[in-house]
Amino acid sequence: MEQAKPTRMELIRVKNQIKLAEQGKDLLRQKMDALIQEFFLIMRDVSDSRFELEAIDASARHSLHLAVAVDDSVAVRSAALATRRGVYLDISGKNIMGVPVPVLEKKVISKGTFERGYSVLGVSGRIDEVAEKFERELDLIIALAETETSLRRLGEEIQMNRRRVNALEQVVIPELKEMAKEIKIAIEEREREDLFRLKKVKKIINRRKEAEKAEA
């Protein structure tokens, strides 16, 4: 803690710092509460999306195993190679309580039967079902990537705000209050010393006046 000058101006300055620190602590706590509320709202969406993803993944794998068993793996592999394409996403951003989070444009990966690139006459309905389910799974993965990234960034911001609140509450404000206390004690001590010296000087003056009167 820095050494403060024991003056009334310094005491006023430190008290103003305490007031600002307490206001900052309250604002940070309010922001943290709002972030936590938003965090749990997004967490609910993430939990639902994960459950849905696990379900569609299990269903897609089951359909894949069935297609391989009935249509043979060569037909399934040929259809998969025919549908290989890139996945393009538009990524932008938004702010949640001042926290930047990504926004992925919801491009639906699912395609119609005639859009997948393979011959409709060359594959069975089972292979179409496999393609449809894995396309749906990819849609969910993209959506989940956005919400999970938002969740992670909100969590980091909550932790950072918590550290700031704790620093103000446990370190900065107590040190400023201790500094204000020391300044006040120093000012009161100096005022007592000044008063003592003033009384002493007054006594000396009174004695001299009395001595002058006695001589006269």
Side-chain angles (χ1 to χ4, degrees), residues 60-152:
R61 289 179 184 277
H62 174 75
S63 296
L64 176 61
H65 294 321
L66 183 62
V68 170
V70 177
D71 297 303
D72 79 61
S73 60
V74 175
V76 174
R77 189 178 296 110
S78 297
L81 290 172
T83 58
R84 281 186 176 177
R85 293 181 183 178
V87 177
Y88 300 96
L89 299 173
D90 289 334
I91 302 176
S92 58
K94 66 178 181 179
N95 283 327
I96 299 178
M97 299 294 296
V99 181
V101 297
V103 176
L104 304 181
E105 184 178 336
K106 301 296 187 297
K107 290 183 178 293
V108 178
I109 305 301
S110 300
K111 301 178 178 65
T113 304
F114 297 98
E115 299 175 314
R116 294 193 175 111
Y118 52 70
S119 172
V120 178
L121 299 177
V123 298
S124 68
R126 285 177 294 274
I127 294 178
D128 270 336
E129 184 180 341
V130 171
E132 180 183 346
K133 288 183 178 179
F134 275 105
E135 287 165 359
R136 174 57 182 155
E137 183 175 358
L138 188 54
D139 285 336
L140 289 173
I141 288 171
I142 292 170
L144 193 58
E146 177 183 327
T147 52
E148 285 196 340
T149 302
S150 298
L151 195 68
R152 177 176 57 81

Side-chain angles (χ1 to χ4, degrees), residues 165-182:
V165 169
N166 289 341
L168 287 169
E169 199 167 47
Q170 300 173 16
V171 180
V172 177
I173 293 174
E175 284 188 354
L176 287 172
K177 287 183 175 180
E178 183 64 25
M179 185 184 294
K181 180 181 176 182
E182 291 179 359

Side-chain angles (χ1 to χ4, degrees), residues 192-203:
R192 282 194 295 269
E193 291 175 356
D194 290 342
L195 183 60
F196 176 77
R197 283 194 293 268
L198 184 62
K199 288 180 178 180
K200 192 173 181 180
V201 170
K202 190 174 181 181
K203 284 181 180 180

